[in-house]
Amino acid sequence: MKQFNWGSIFDPILLSLRMVGLWPSSDSYKANSYTLYAFICVPLFMLANTFFQAINIFMVEMDLKALAAALFVAAHVMAVVKIAALLIHLKTLKKLTSHVNHLKLQACGNRHGKVVEINLKMWMMLYRGFQVGVSTMVIFWLCRPFLDNSYKNYELPIFSWYPFDVKSTPWYQFAYIYQIISIIFMAIANLNLDSLSLSLMVYIGTQCDILCDNLKAIRNLSDLVRCIKYHKAVLRFAVDFNVFFSNIILGQFFTSVATIALGLFKLTLTVPGSSEFYTLVAFFNMGTFQIFLYCWFGNEVELKSTNIPEAAFQSEWIGVSLNFQKTLLIFLTRTQRHISITAFNLFPLSLQTFMTVSSTSVSEAFAITKLPIDAVVAQAEFGAPGRGCSPTTTVILFCQQALPHSSPLSRRNVPYGQTVTLSTKEANFYQPFH
């Protein structure tokens, strides 16, 4: 009987991971040229870039630029966590992906061809959409300084700290090229690590469909026993998947909720139609779509596993031996426990979870924008004695809210999140809010 080559689903993903130094040909890194390539790419273009972004948050004042930097830092830190998990448990993941062509889990013959084809078409459509979305977001981020002409002020695509002056030539061009390479490497790694886990969920769901098809066609006890062994193999694979990916999925969900909320908040402070506005929209859409894919395929796995007992009941069990009926009854009892993909066993990946996560992100964004904010006194700076300098107060607006018309900041048209200096007379207006 003809067997389906499941490796064809994973080949594009594994090839992309290999391009960025994350997928050696063997179960571990050996002393060869590829290991040297990975040793250069991973620390230099992935870890170091994230480190420079994180340092920047502590090196700059708390303003909207720091908030924008925090968005990317959170996403990149989560990507680094995924990369670390892959490198630490590389042998386990290699074993998991190699099991997709195990003889016990195969689509054989034309009878299962349509089942596999439907699932693969759905997966490839969403995978291509995922690629297009990530590529669009990356292009927007990389081109943002040219779209809003901020490159004239030596502004980089991502706010980062470097141990040299990026406000001068040729260091600005060097840092810009470095960020281009780093962002592309991180996007490829993050995209394909997510795609790898999603494709394994597609594999589990497809195996449930094949099992249902086999159960409807059983005629004797030997066929039923073969289906039971098949079901045990699917369950074992699903357990191994949950053990490896559940922690990563939990971290991804928390990171996505935070970045989506911060992105929505910053979107309210951005001029509609600007390059930054469209960049944030692309970022928000991809964060939402990423969570949607996890929840969609997790939901598909659970739904397809609920069809297993119904398929077994539709088999030709009437008039067969008592031993067959008892075995079928035990199997039906076991299949009442559905296969569920979870995030660290805290919550299942389902469409209901996606709705909850989405509403939580939006609620957090609106909660931030409704914080009391007329002004926050950050620092008092007094002029030098004897020079006739009046005392001044530095204030920062953190959130968006309409200020009274009499407000000094309202009259001066100060952008939210920007640090400004007020005279003593102006600062007295905010004394009740200290």
Side-chain angles (χ1 to χ4, degrees):
M1 294 184 0
K2 183 180 178 181
Q3 294 180 344
F4 180 76
N5 180 23
W6 288 101
S8 61
I9 305 175
F10 303 100
D11 286 344
I13 300 172
L14 300 184
L15 178 61
S16 299
L17 291 176
R18 184 168 178 80
M19 287 172 54
V20 294
L22 297 178
W23 199 261
S25 55
S26 58
D27 289 344
S28 60
Y29 289 93
K30 307 294 183 182
N32 51 35
S33 58
Y34 183 78
T35 301
L36 178 62
Y37 171 76
F39 185 76
I40 295 173
C41 292
V42 175
L44 181 61
F45 296 122
M46 300 184 192
L47 304 184
N49 183 49
T50 305
F51 173 76
F52 291 140
Q53 293 177 54
I55 290 296
N56 179 71
I57 296 180
F58 301 99
M59 299 292 291
V60 299
E61 297 176 347
M62 182 57 66
D63 56 11
L64 291 182
K65 288 187 177 181
L67 177 61
L71 290 174
F72 242 97
V73 170
H76 279 197
V77 167
M78 190 60 229
V80 168
V81 171
K82 294 178 186 177
I83 292 170
L86 170 66
L87 296 178
I88 294 172
H89 305 288
L90 181 61
K91 187 175 294 186
T92 303
L93 188 56
K94 286 263 187 178
K95 183 179 178 181
L96 193 64
T97 54
S98 66
H99 281 179
V100 298
N101 278 325
H102 197 280
L103 292 178
K104 290 184 179 180
L105 293 176
Q106 284 290 312
C108 304
N110 297 327
R111 187 159 54 92
H112 300 147
K114 291 184 178 180
V115 175
V116 174
E117 185 179 357
I118 293 172
N119 286 278
L120 288 188
K121 281 185 176 180
M122 173 62 71
W123 160 244
M124 290 307 299
M125 181 181 66
L126 293 175
Y127 177 56
R128 297 303 179 193
F130 198 19
Q131 287 180 318
V132 171
V134 171
S135 301
T136 303
M137 182 189 69
V138 169
I139 291 173
F140 267 113
W141 276 107
L142 293 179
C143 298
R144 183 185 59 81
F146 291 94
L147 296 175
D148 58 12
N149 292 322
S150 59
Y151 75 94
K152 296 179 180 179
N153 299 323
Y154 296 96
E155 190 169 297
L156 295 169
I158 302 178
F159 302 108
S160 301
W161 173 88
Y162 294 106
F164 49 83
D165 184 15
V166 297
K167 299 294 184 180
S168 60
T169 303
W171 295 113
Y172 174 73
Q173 289 78 5
F174 173 78
Y176 205 116
I177 294 173
Y178 172 74
Q179 286 200 357
I180 289 175
I181 298 174
S182 299
I183 292 173
I184 292 175
F185 266 66
M186 288 295 290
I188 293 175
N190 203 17
L191 165 67
N192 289 280
L193 285 173
D194 284 335
S195 299
L196 181 59
S197 58
L198 294 171
S199 61
L200 290 173
M201 283 193 273
V202 173
Y203 173 76
I204 296 172
T206 304
Q207 295 303 327
C208 291
D209 288 337
I210 294 173
L211 177 58
C212 290
D213 193 58
N214 290 336
L215 285 169
K216 294 176 182 179
I218 58 176
R219 294 292 182 270
N220 50 53
L221 184 59
S222 61
D223 291 341
L224 178 58
V225 171
R226 188 160 48 247
C227 288
I228 292 174
K229 292 180 178 179
Y230 198 105
H231 181 249
K232 290 175 64 177
V234 175
L235 290 177
R236 193 179 306 112
F237 189 90
V239 169
D240 292 340
F241 175 88
N242 269 324
V243 168
F244 184 86
F245 285 102
S246 62
N247 297 348
I248 297 175
I249 294 173
L250 178 64
Q252 183 62 65
F253 267 71
F254 280 123
T255 303
S256 295
V257 169
T259 54
I260 290 173
L262 288 174
L264 282 174
F265 165 63
K266 192 172 187 306
L267 198 62
T268 63
L269 310 180
T270 306
V271 178
S274 63
S275 60
E276 187 179 12
F277 177 83
Y278 290 116
T279 302
L280 286 170
V281 168
F283 184 85
F284 167 75
N285 288 339
M286 279 316 305
T288 306
F289 188 58
Q290 183 183 34
I291 295 300
F292 170 75
L293 288 178
Y294 274 105
C295 292
W296 171 269
F297 288 116
N299 191 74
E300 285 291 293
V301 169
E302 185 168 0
L303 284 178
K304 291 178 179 182
S305 68
T306 60
N307 295 330
I308 294 176
E310 182 179 350
F313 188 76
Q314 292 177 9
S315 63
E316 298 292 338
W317 59 270
I318 300 177
V320 296
S321 64
L322 185 60
N323 191 20
F324 179 98
Q325 294 179 353
K326 288 182 178 179
T327 305
L328 180 62
L329 181 60
I330 295 173
F331 177 70
L332 288 171
T333 303
R334 172 60 186 87
T335 55
Q336 297 302 313
R337 292 171 53 192
H338 307 142
I339 301 174
S340 180
I341 307 299
T342 64
F344 201 56
N345 291 325
L346 294 179
F347 53 85
L349 301 188
S350 63
L351 294 180
Q352 180 62 40
T353 300
F354 173 73
M355 296 301 296
T356 302
V357 169
S358 300
S359 61
T360 301
S361 302
V362 175
S363 299
E364 287 183 359
F366 277 103
I368 294 174
T369 59
K370 291 180 180 179
L371 288 174
I373 14 174
D374 279 314
V376 180
V377 175
Q379 180 183 2
E381 298 177 350
F382 295 93
R387 296 187 180 179
C389 298
S390 59
T392 61
T393 302
T394 301
V395 300
I396 301 174
L397 292 186
F398 289 102
C399 305
Q400 185 181 31
Q401 180 173 320
L403 293 174
H405 291 295
S406 58
S407 165
L409 295 188
S410 179
R411 292 196 300 269
R412 287 168 57 173
N413 248 351
V414 177
Y416 293 101
Q418 180 173 321
T419 303
V420 296
T421 300
L422 302 181
S423 65
T424 304
K425 182 178 180 181
E426 290 176 320
N428 287 336
F429 178 87
Y430 298 104
Q431 291 302 320
F433 306 105
H434 289 186

